[in-house]
Amino acid sequence: MTSPSPRSITGELAEYAASTRFASMPDAVRHEAVRAFTNWLGCALGGSREEAVTIAAATVADLGGAPQARLIGQQQRTDVASAAFVNCIASSVLAFDDAHLATVTHPSGPAGAALFAMSERHPVNGEDFLAAFALAIEIQCRMANVLLLPPARFNIGFYVTGLSGPIGVAAGLANLLRLDARRTGWAMGIGASQSSGFREPHGTMTAHFRPGHATRAGVWGALLAARGFTCSDHALEGEKGFVDVFSSGADLSRAVTGLGQDFELMRNCYKPYPCGIVIHPSIDACLDVATRLPAGVPVASVTLRVHPLTLNLTGERSPRDPLDAAISVFHCAAAALLRGRFGLAEMRQACIDDPAVAALRATIEAMPDPGLRRDEAILEVDLVDGTRLGSHTTVTRGSIERPMTDAELDAKFIEQAEIVLPSDRTARLLRLCRAVAELSDVGREIGAVLSTEMAPSR
Amino acid sequence: MTSPSPRSITGELAEYAASTRFASMPDAVRHEAVRAFTNWLGCALGGSREEAVTIAAATVADLGGAPQARLIGQQQRTDVASAAFVNCIASSVLAFDDAHLATVTHPSGPAGAALFAMSERHPVNGEDFLAAFALAIEIQCRMANVLLLPPARFNIGFYVTGLSGPIGVAAGLANLLRLDARRTGWAMGIGASQSSGFREPHGTMTAHFRPGHATRAGVWGALLAARGFTCSDHALEGEKGFVDVFSSGADLSRAVTGLGQDFELMRNCYKPYPCGIVIHPSIDACLDVATRLPAGVPVASVTLRVHPLTLNLTGERSPRDPLDAAISVFHCAAAALLRGRFGLAEMRQACIDDPAVAALRATIEAMPDPGLRRDEAILEVDLVDGTRLGSHTTVTRGSIERPMTDAELDAKFIEQAEIVLPSDRTARLLRLCRAVAELSDVGREIGAVLSTEMAPSR
């Protein structure tokens, strides 16, 4: 049943999605798409040996699935929907991926996983691939903006990537598959009909199932719509549609204003640290103080002041494993302060179980301060000798104002890829990612490097 | 992250789901489970040749999938998740299935599709099958009660079967697979993490995709949890959990009060007419008046008074095809009044396009009346000769007060099964359904009859 609507954003987004091409993308957006894809593929490799991925891969293997696309970092191949699902869990599981800070959406996981899997089935050159990938991110972030940003009232309990992810993925795939605008709208509507997820499972494997589900939902939307499976032409804005049920008072124009000119992709940040993005300002402050900590003087107390959302989303006091350590501002701050660095090693079980880290974790006080921005944190460390050290993060590393440099992203890629690939293959893969726009067949050329001999499992 | 919760309904439901057995089910519930399964299988056969099913089946075929379970009414086999998905679309697509009237949930589709598919992979006797099937329905309906019934405030734009379906299905499968209580809770939580769907796509193929998604989501929940994929132990009631995001002010005790004694399955109704359940009281009134309509005297005007929800959910004024005719109280009333019967023929394109039906459809006025119950309708028909005929439905056919008899359900089964099976096979299949409790291997024995030669496509 079609409903009258204030603005047919389904139709407007579908028209845009069906017609957008690499040629019309500004240079800065093209470059950012390459960075986002490189970051994504590195994360998918980095997470590929984690237990959540292993279980998901075994479940997929059990159901069969034609060998259309690879599980990244593994020898197994499966159907495109299942490959997207598993690869997105992999890119999410270390909480090292990316974040659209305005909405805390993690858009490149669902986008990258679906489009890369499809590129192995459906040959696509680098320019077309990047256009579809950037589009999938753009529409995810814009729909997240509609749901969350003023004047919308939104229940923060919903998992945003799970809501907007299927829509963006469906749009990106529809572009890649050259669906017409009407079927593109149906693809987005079928995707939106699977939009789901809430925050309660944070800290468990299901936290990473959710983006996996989002990308697969988008694949299903595109595949069904491509065959003429019908949906409402007003799935997003209709009276009982996506925006109506997941938000209230939303400004639908956020979905389409400046489309093609103003890119949310430029407001997407790559994580320098493998944990919840709202923890990052605290880590910066801890790393800063760590450089000034005198050797041998014990810490008496640690006080953090953070934006309230930090404690709301990442207030886990006593993490037991890497999954819930990634949502523990206490663990991350303690590890950063004590070790003076924050990388994958600080999220491993050994660090979580380290008695010195655990002792410091227990002494940290963290106070919500509504006067702070999300990317701000204030740290005070008192030592037993009476010394007080402090740090105030005003511009977080990896933020829009201080983005990860290309060199930093390269290093992050290499650190993760080398978990599963020998270093020469890692280097070749990184060169291919950096030059993805020039590839004639993304799935085949990148797949060829991925499929060669893997390093043994850790 | 675990959250303190007012009542751990995830845990209580999981304990119940893991331990429930056929032996503890009252006789009336056992009999009702047989009726619900029979009704479901008939609907799955009846809808199996519809276009939405054909497209879904082709999409599934394209992705491969090990031949673990059959597509009902077809020769194709695929993996259990995909088979459940397609078979649930089939049982939904004619809008002939069932309804838990208190919540307008359609529970037997997701339950039947998932459990029957799994029974082909995982041998199960009839008693164990029925216990799991009844459980899947029970938990779906109870979770729908939590979301919708007072004191809860719920956005009626959400598609209820899509929200509670994955949870019930996951619980039923967990029981069938003999998962322990903790993994049963995870299965339900992973299912709930895919809970989704809204009403805007009513009248399109996506309306039937939604229950298909719900059943597949439950299959995924159970399969992942069976392998140890973790979730929160408080996915349903946690602070940012399922109930929190989809409802507000909900009474969690509705999920568990009387569990094992008081069965929502007994409040589930089988549809006598293939259209939205809220239309049924109007059809009853039209069929009643039709018996008294004098031949040859044209109708001047028709006025219906119905519960407001009827127009809210099924107010489609100008249906173009069977999918939106099923949500058009105007079409259904016109067809029933003019033809004096209401079955599958009245929902076919020929009836929708019949000029006499279309003319009568256009003259019908329907008024929402908050003073009426959902299962009530008041009809007034004025003829051109001044005659006024009326009917007031107070007890709808197929309702809890006036349930479909076993004989009526048999006739409904036969009408639908014979769309794809020869009559002798239909009769054998019906006997097997009626005796499902005595079968030693449900999937094999019922599958054997389903797999034999099909009638040609219409």
Side-chain angles (χ1 to χ4, degrees):
Chain A
M1 180 163 50
T2 58
S3 308
S5 72
R7 183 160 189 176
S8 180
I9 60 169
T10 309
E12 290 182 51
L13 289 175
E15 288 283 351
Y16 175 71
S19 62
T20 197
R21 296 290 180 271
F22 189 76
S24 63
M25 287 165 60
D27 282 347
V29 175
R30 294 177 182 190
H31 182 62
E32 206 56 39
V34 172
R35 283 160 52 90
F37 176 69
T38 305
N39 180 66
W40 173 74
L41 186 61
C43 291
L45 284 160
S48 64
R49 300 288 163 91
E50 298 298 313
E51 191 183 5
V53 179
T54 306
I55 296 177
T59 306
V60 160
D62 190 43
L63 294 177
Q68 298 164 351
R70 81 193 58 249
L71 301 195
I72 290 170
Q74 303 183 53
Q75 299 298 343
Q76 188 180 335
R77 295 176 67 86
T78 185
D79 64 87
V80 286
S82 299
F85 168 70
V86 176
N87 292 338
C88 190
I89 295 176
S91 68
S92 169
V93 72
L94 296 177
F96 208 2
D97 45 356
D98 65 345
H100 178 249
L101 200 60
T103 60
V104 200
T105 303
H106 309 292
S108 71
L115 288 163
F116 183 67
M118 190 61 80
S119 80
E120 294 200 85
R121 176 106 204 264
H122 182 94
V124 56
N125 68 41
E127 295 196 347
D128 289 346
F129 180 86
L130 285 171
F133 174 68
L135 174 70
I137 290 176
E138 190 64 26
I139 290 185
Q140 276 184 83
C141 294
R142 284 174 168 266
M143 290 312 302
N145 284 347
V146 169
L147 296 183
L148 267 80
L149 299 191
R153 291 180 303 283
F154 179 74
N155 185 338
I156 193 70
F158 278 118
Y159 172 70
V160 189
T161 308
L163 302 189
S164 68
I167 303 169
V169 168
L173 288 171
N175 175 275
L176 194 78
L177 298 171
R178 298 290 186 253
L179 304 194
D180 64 25
R182 189 156 199 220
R183 290 189 178 196
T184 298
W186 293 347
M188 292 163 61
I190 301 168
S193 295
Q194 300 162 79
S195 290
S196 55
F198 42 83
R199 295 194 184 275
E200 173 62 27
H202 262 42
T204 73
M205 294 183 191
T206 299
H208 307 287
F209 170 87
R210 298 172 309 187
H213 168 65
T215 193
R216 184 165 58 178
V219 174
W220 273 99
L223 293 179
L224 285 165
R227 291 177 182 270
F229 199 93
T230 63
C231 188
S232 165
D233 297 317
H234 304 279
L236 301 181
E237 74 279 6
E239 188 196 340
K240 300 187 187 78
F242 172 78
V243 174
D244 171 64
V245 296
F246 287 115
S247 190
S248 61
D251 176 4
L252 290 172
S253 74
R254 287 190 181 280
V256 289
T257 302
L259 201 55
Q261 266 109 51
D262 184 38
F263 289 82
E264 291 300 313
L265 173 60
M266 304 305 289
R267 301 185 188 96
N268 188 45
C269 302
Y270 314 106
K271 291 185 178 179
Y273 311 121
C275 61
I277 189 98
V278 292
I279 300 174
H280 292 205
S282 299
I283 294 175
D284 281 340
C286 290
L287 293 177
D288 177 39
V289 165
T291 63
R292 289 176 275 134
L293 275 181
V297 186
V299 169
S301 71
V302 179
T303 308
L304 265 172
R305 276 165 46 210
V306 293
H307 185 274
L309 193 68
T310 302
L311 290 171
N312 190 301
L313 298 182
T314 58
E316 176 61 55
R317 254 265 160 231
S318 308
R320 296 145 300 182
D321 59 40
L323 292 170
D324 55 7
I327 54 160
S328 172
V329 65
F330 302 99
H331 171 73
C332 297
L337 201 54
L338 205 63
R339 299 189 165 192
R341 61 175 185 271
F342 200 91
L344 291 172
E346 281 61 51
M347 293 303 294
R348 297 275 174 217
Q349 195 68 45
C351 181
I352 296 160
D353 294 340
D354 178 341
V357 172
L360 186 57
R361 197 158 65 209
T363 70
I364 295 177
E365 298 272 354
M367 292 179 304
D369 184 340
L372 297 184
R373 297 190 319 275
R374 284 188 198 177
D375 56 349
E376 204 173 355
I378 299 173
L379 172 70
E380 281 184 358
V381 178
D382 288 306
L383 305 184
V384 292
D385 67 2
T387 311
R388 168 168 289 190
L389 298 169
S391 184
H392 182 170
T393 304
T394 53
V395 180
T396 311
R397 189 167 166 245
S399 66
I400 299 168
E401 296 76 16
R402 190 184 160 197
M404 295 272 280
T405 64
D406 287 359
E408 286 172 329
L409 281 177
D410 286 355
K412 178 180 170 185
F413 181 94
I414 291 165
E415 179 186 13
Q416 295 194 88
E418 290 191 348
I419 293 173
V420 287
L421 292 176
S423 59
D424 59 329
R425 299 263 162 69
T426 293
R428 265 172 62 198
L429 195 59
L430 181 56
R431 283 196 299 274
L432 283 180
C433 286
R434 286 282 171 218
V436 62
E438 286 112 61
L439 300 185
S440 59
D441 185 337
V442 171
R444 189 177 57 73
E445 291 173 74
I446 290 184
V449 181
L450 286 170
S451 68
T452 50
E453 185 195 353
M454 300 288 175
S457 277
R458 276 178 300 119
Chain B
M1 182 164 46
T2 57
S3 307
S5 73
R7 181 159 190 176
S8 179
I9 59 169
T10 309
E12 290 183 51
L13 288 175
E15 288 284 351
Y16 176 70
S19 62
T20 196
R21 296 291 181 268
F22 189 76
S24 62
M25 287 165 60
D27 282 347
V29 175
R30 295 177 180 190
H31 182 61
E32 206 56 40
V34 172
R35 283 161 50 90
F37 176 69
T38 306
N39 180 67
W40 172 75
L41 187 60
C43 290
L45 284 160
S48 64
R49 301 287 163 91
E50 298 298 312
E51 191 182 5
V53 179
T54 306
I55 296 176
T59 306
V60 161
D62 190 44
L63 294 177
Q68 298 164 350
R70 78 193 58 251
L71 301 195
I72 290 171
Q74 304 183 53
Q75 300 299 342
Q76 188 180 335
R77 293 177 69 87
T78 185
D79 64 87
V80 287
S82 298
F85 169 70
V86 176
N87 292 338
C88 190
I89 296 177
S91 69
S92 168
V93 72
L94 297 177
F96 208 2
D97 45 357
D98 64 346
H100 178 249
L101 199 61
T103 59
V104 199
T105 303
H106 308 292
S108 70
L115 288 163
F116 184 67
M118 190 62 80
S119 80
E120 294 198 85
R121 176 104 204 266
H122 183 93
V124 56
N125 70 39
E127 295 195 347
D128 288 347
F129 180 86
L130 285 172
F133 174 67
L135 174 70
I137 290 176
E138 191 64 26
I139 291 186
Q140 276 185 82
C141 294
R142 283 173 169 267
M143 290 312 302
N145 284 347
V146 169
L147 296 183
L148 267 80
L149 298 191
R153 292 179 304 283
F154 179 75
N155 183 339
I156 193 67
F158 279 118
Y159 172 70
V160 188
T161 308
L163 302 189
S164 67
I167 302 169
V169 168
L173 288 171
N175 175 275
L176 194 78
L177 298 172
R178 297 293 185 252
L179 304 193
D180 64 24
R182 189 154 200 220
R183 289 189 179 197
T184 298
W186 293 347
M188 292 163 60
I190 301 168
S193 295
Q194 301 163 78
S195 290
S196 55
F198 42 84
R199 295 195 183 274
E200 173 62 26
H202 262 42
T204 72
M205 293 182 192
T206 300
H208 308 287
F209 170 86
R210 298 172 309 188
H213 168 66
T215 193
R216 184 166 56 179
V219 174
W220 273 98
L223 293 180
L224 285 164
R227 290 177 182 271
F229 199 92
T230 62
C231 188
S232 164
D233 296 317
H234 303 280
L236 301 181
E237 74 279 4
E239 189 196 339
K240 300 187 187 79
F242 172 78
V243 174
D244 171 65
V245 296
F246 288 116
S247 190
S248 61
D251 175 5
L252 291 172
S253 72
R254 287 190 181 279
V256 288
T257 302
L259 202 54
Q261 266 110 50
D262 185 38
F263 289 82
E264 291 299 314
L265 173 61
M266 304 305 290
R267 300 185 189 96
N268 189 44
C269 301
Y270 314 106
K271 291 185 178 179
Y273 311 121
C275 61
I277 191 96
V278 292
I279 300 175
H280 291 204
S282 300
I283 294 175
D284 281 339
C286 290
L287 293 176
D288 177 39
V289 166
T291 62
R292 290 176 274 134
L293 275 180
V297 186
V299 168
S301 70
V302 179
T303 309
L304 266 172
R305 274 165 49 208
V306 293
H307 186 274
L309 194 67
T310 302
L311 291 172
N312 191 300
L313 298 182
T314 59
E316 177 62 55
R317 255 266 158 229
S318 307
R320 294 144 302 180
D321 58 41
L323 291 170
D324 55 8
I327 55 159
S328 171
V329 65
F330 302 100
H331 171 72
C332 297
L337 199 55
L338 205 63
R339 298 189 165 192
R341 61 175 186 269
F342 200 91
L344 290 172
E346 281 63 50
M347 293 302 295
R348 295 278 174 215
Q349 196 68 45
C351 181
I352 296 159
D353 295 341
D354 178 340
V357 172
L360 186 57
R361 198 159 65 210
T363 70
I364 295 175
E365 298 273 355
M367 292 179 305
D369 184 340
L372 298 184
R373 298 191 318 275
R374 283 188 196 177
D375 56 349
E376 203 173 356
I378 299 173
L379 172 70
E380 281 184 0
V381 178
D382 289 304
L383 306 182
V384 293
D385 66 2
T387 311
R388 168 168 289 191
L389 298 169
S391 185
H392 183 169
T393 304
T394 53
V395 181
T396 311
R397 190 167 164 244
S399 66
I400 299 168
E401 296 77 16
R402 190 184 160 197
M404 295 272 278
T405 64
D406 287 0
E408 286 173 329
L409 282 177
D410 286 354
K412 179 181 170 184
F413 181 94
I414 291 166
E415 179 186 12
Q416 294 194 90
E418 290 192 347
I419 292 173
V420 286
L421 292 176
S423 59
D424 59 328
R425 300 262 162 69
T426 294
R428 267 172 59 198
L429 195 58
L430 181 56
R431 284 195 300 273
L432 283 180
C433 287
R434 286 283 169 217
V436 63
E438 286 112 63
L439 301 184
S440 59
D441 185 338
V442 172
R444 189 177 55 76
E445 291 173 75
I446 290 184
V449 181
L450 285 171
S451 68
T452 50
E453 185 194 352
M454 300 287 174
S457 279
R458 276 180 301 117

